[in-house]
Amino acid sequence: MDATRLQLFNTLTRRVEPFEPLFPDQTKDGRPVVGMYCCGPTVYDFGHIGNFRTFVFADLVRRYLEFRGYAVNHVMNITDVEDKIIRRVQETGQSLREFTGHYEREFIRDLQTLLCRVPTQTPRATEHIADIIALIQRLESRGLAYRAPDGSVYFSIQKYQGCGCRYGQLVNLNFDAMRVGERVAEDEYDKESVADFALWKARVPEDGEIFWESPWGPGRPGWHIECSAMSMALLGPSFDLHLGGEDLVFPHHEDEIAQSEGAGLQAPGRPFVKHWVHASHLLVEGKKMSKSLGNFFTVRDLLAKGYTGREIRQLLLSAHYRETFNFTMDGLDGARTALARIDECVAKLTEVAGGAAPGPESSSLVRAFVTALDDDLNVSRAWAAVFDWVRETNRALAGQQLSPVQAATALAAWQQVDQVLGLGAKSTSDVPAEIVALAEERAAAKKARDFARADALRKELKDRGWVVEDTPKGPKLKPA
Ligand code: AMP
Ligand code: ZN
């Protein structure tokens, strides 16, 4: 299996390259350590399944690296201070922490519903303000940051370029139209408006009580600096992999490189990030699924329609990460059919295997699967290998050609492959695992006499299409 090596497309070099860890001598439990950062959610609302396409993809990368023998330090930040959050906090009258805490918990729960391994670390921007300030101070001391008249601090692209650094590593930029020192205060802007960007935003009346003291006066961090500060604080100034959706390439990731390499904390010749990997968008009728277009579904919308997290995961993992694909309900029904075929085959194999132990031979399924994923995570080819295997296995089962040991060997191969696909076994009852988990959480809340939480969970179960009945034998779940 080790004859081949994982190859990944790197947005930085625009080429498919072999994946090699930056620090092969750094090990954990005998495994080489890989540092991987994926830009996380802005917690002002529920995530939609477009967002989750990127996070499920990050889970695939992590699981495949783990399968390939690496110890992955998977960091995903939580953006818990930002314009939209501040606006919503003022509207709801909640504290910042109360408001973002709710959406953060729901986000992690959605990740689990989609059977993702929870990242190793999930740092919050508001808990890294000191790191952020220190990084801006360092940029200031190197002459790359300056104060604007309103008290905000900006990154100077011209000074950065003057030090021989390249702005425009991930994308080609046209600087002809750029006027020196022109500034952009927003976190999101397009390539045509490339300009100095905000590192620290001075407090304005609309911020209310949401601000931090700093050497530049009260204010809050810009979005780009958060990711530079948190990734370097947790993974060091140089790390292996940085992931995100394709919309983050510019300006977010370009600005992250400028800030992180501008701070000059890397050893000579080392980059901030070695491999930049971007997932293409999930579309609806040809357009990016997004909050602003209103063409989105959340995980809970789909659960309420009777689909499971496992089915949504299968759909989100069905296409190559560098291809956009259209979300449709038919696609989701297709995922259901695909899973049913696998589940039926696995159930029959389990029956034939009885309790037999698997034989020692290597599996053609695992070999074909690894070859496909080594090739820039070609998941569509990996699924083709899975379905070829299902077809052949079904044929052998129908002809009663499989001994218990052969069936056990086939099952073991499936389980190996499923460590990466992460589909797990089909739920044995009709109640999906995530619904059982919610019901258990509600029972625990009731026991702790936290009735508000218990009621909130009952409502959530209802929104997801389930009612809880408290019976003398304990709570029972029924479809609503
Ligand atoms: P946000 O919470 O908007 O910062 O987005 C979180 C992540 O979701 C980022 O990595 C985005 O690039 C990604 N993302 C947003 N919309 C989509 C989409 N339609 N398809 C795939 N990824 C997306
Ligand atoms: Zn980021």
Side-chain angles (χ1 to χ4, degrees), residues 333-350:
D333 290 332
R336 174 168 288 180
T337 310
L339 285 177
R341 282 183 59 205
I342 297 173
D343 290 339
E344 197 187 330
C345 177
V346 168
K348 280 194 234 146
L349 282 175
T350 311

Side-chain angles (χ1 to χ4, degrees), residues 216-256:
W216 314 282
R220 63 187 167 96
W223 173 39
H224 315 302
I225 197 76
E226 286 175 18
C227 280
S228 284
M230 291 190 275
S231 62
M232 293 200 290
L234 298 172
L235 295 170
S238 290
F239 56 91
D240 294 288
L241 282 158
H242 197 313
L243 275 56
E246 60 180 328
D247 54 330
L248 300 191
V249 174
F250 187 86
H252 187 53
H253 290 164
E254 194 63 51
D255 290 351
E256 274 190 51

Side-chain angles (χ1 to χ4, degrees), residues 46-60 63 76 105-119 282 289 297-303 307-317 327 332 335 339 383 418-424 432-435 437 464:
F46 300 118
H48 58 67
I49 57 162
N51 301 130
F52 283 105
R53 179 185 189 192
T54 293
F55 298 120
V56 170
F57 167 66
D59 183 61
L60 175 76
R63 283 174 179 264
M76 184 194 67
R105 275 193 302 279
E106 297 304 318
F107 173 79
I108 300 288
R109 181 180 288 158
D110 284 350
L111 266 190
Q112 288 170 318
T113 300
L114 298 178
L115 305 166
C116 292
R117 291 183 180 155
V118 175
L282 183 66
M289 181 179 283
F297 290 94
T298 61
V299 171
R300 56 208 66 223
D301 289 339
L302 297 177
L303 296 181
Y307 294 99
T308 61
R310 193 168 174 254
E311 288 161 350
I312 305 170
R313 178 181 178 89
Q314 202 283 335
L315 179 67
L316 294 179
L317 280 181
F327 171 79
L332 205 43
L339 285 177
W383 283 115
D418 192 43
Q419 281 172 39
V420 180
L421 295 175
L423 299 169
E434 64 268 14
I435 298 296
R464 293 188 182 208

Side-chain angles (χ1 to χ4, degrees), residues 36-39 57-58 61 241-245 248 253 276-278:
M36 171 171 129
Y37 187 92
C38 180
C39 293
F57 167 66
V61 176
L241 282 158
H242 197 313
L243 275 56
L248 300 191
H253 290 164
W276 285 90
V277 185
H278 291 100

